[in-house]
Amino acid sequence: MSELISYQLEDGIATLTLCNGKVNAISPDVIAAFNAALDRAEQDRAIVIITGQPGILSGGYDLKVMTSGPQNAIALVAAGSTLARRMLAHPYPIIVACPGHAVAKGAFILLSADYRIGVEGPFSIGLNEVQIGMTMHHVGIELARDRLRRSAFHRSVINGEMFDPQAALDAGFLDKVVPQEQLLEAARGAATQLKKINMTAHRNTKLKVRKALLETLDAAIELDKQHLA
C-alpha cells in the first residue's frame, strides 16, 4: 500500500502496519497513506487491524511539522482529527493491536477504534500534550471525554498523566492486555469474532451510538482550524 503503512489482506481481515521511523510519527504523508488504506479496506469489505512496530504504535504527530509554523501545525492536527472522525464512523470494525507505547496522537488512534488490545510491558500510553507545552485541542478534549472513564479523563487531559498498559485498560484507552507474543493472534481472534456480526447492523448502530460525538467533533474540527493555542 505504502512504505509508511503496509496493507495485508487475509481472509477478510486487512492489517495496516505503521512504519515511519523509530516513533511512527504521524505526518501529513502518513495520514494520506492511512486514508488510502482505509479506502482500500472499505472496498475489500474487510475488518481492519491497525498496528505498529515492535514496542510502539505511535509517539504522536511529527514534531518537525508541528514546529515548522502555526499553519502547518493547525493543518496537521485538523487532518489527524478528520482521520479520527473517519475511524469512528468507519463502516467495518476497526481493531488496534497496540504493540507498546501510544502517546498523544498514538493514544488518540486507540480512542478512535472499536476494540483495542495492548501488550504487557514497560510501556506508556496517554496524552502528554500539556507536558510538552501544547494546549489540548478541542477535538482531543471531546474524544477523550467520550472514550475515557470519568475518573481518568481529567488526570489524562489536564494533568498529562501517562499510564502503563494495565492502568490504560482501567482508564479506557484499551479493552484488553495480552503478552507481547500473543498480540497479533489476539487481534486476529477478535477480528474473527467480529466477522460473525451483521455489518449493516454494525454500521448503522455505530452511527446511532456516535451521532452526538461525531457532530461534536465536526464542530470541534472547525474550532481547531480557527485557532490552536
Side-chain angles (χ1 to χ4, degrees):
M1 186 78 209
S2 163
E3 61 182 15
L4 297 174
I5 296 183
S6 67
Y7 184 96
Q8 181 181 4
L9 180 67
E10 183 178 352
D11 196 25
I13 301 169
T15 302
L16 283 53
T17 305
L18 281 70
C19 187
N20 185 29
K22 290 191 295 184
V23 298
N24 276 340
I26 305 298
S27 67
D29 287 343
V30 168
I31 291 173
F34 228 128
N35 278 306
L38 288 177
D39 287 342
R40 183 171 172 183
E42 192 167 341
Q43 291 169 1
D44 289 333
R45 304 174 66 85
I47 290 174
V48 173
I49 295 174
I50 296 169
T51 191
Q53 302 170 70
I56 190 160
L57 178 65
S58 174
Y61 286 124
D62 189 329
L63 290 180
K64 291 180 181 178
V65 178
M66 293 296 289
T67 58
S68 65
Q71 290 306 314
N72 290 338
I74 289 170
L76 179 55
V77 171
S81 296
T82 302
L83 173 63
R85 197 250 188 238
R86 178 182 183 176
M87 288 175 61
L88 288 161
H90 192 71
Y92 299 95
I94 294 180
I95 298 163
V96 176
C98 180
H101 301 293
V103 179
K105 182 58 181 176
F108 282 123
I109 290 173
L110 293 173
L111 296 181
S112 304
D114 299 308
Y115 193 72
R116 300 80 46 87
I117 306 173
V119 294
E120 298 169 351
F123 301 115
S124 292
I125 295 172
L127 308 172
N128 71 337
E129 278 79 355
V130 297
Q131 289 187 26
I132 62 174
M134 179 179 176
T135 300
M136 183 68 77
H137 55 307
H138 290 94
V139 168
I141 291 169
E142 297 304 333
L143 186 52
R145 192 197 311 276
D146 186 84
R147 299 303 303 272
L148 292 179
R149 289 187 171 86
R150 181 170 296 197
S151 61
F153 169 66
H154 289 272
R155 289 159 53 202
S156 177
V157 173
I158 297 175
N159 298 353
E161 182 175 336
M162 302 300 290
F163 302 86
D164 63 28
Q166 192 60 49
L169 176 68
D170 295 335
F173 285 103
L174 298 172
D175 297 299
K176 185 176 184 179
V177 175
V178 299
Q180 294 184 48
E181 65 273 12
Q182 295 178 18
L183 177 63
L184 289 182
E185 178 186 354
R188 285 192 287 265
T192 299
Q193 282 298 115
L194 285 168
K195 284 173 66 177
K196 298 176 182 178
I197 66 176
N198 181 286
M199 292 302 158
T200 299
H202 167 80
R203 179 185 69 243
N204 292 341
T205 302
K206 178 187 290 188
L207 292 177
K208 271 189 177 182
V209 168
R210 295 178 178 162
K211 182 177 185 293
L213 173 61
L214 295 173
E215 291 173 352
T216 297
L217 293 184
D218 287 338
I221 288 169
E222 294 307 312
L223 279 174
D224 288 332
K225 286 178 181 177
Q226 294 170 23
H227 181 66
L228 193 66

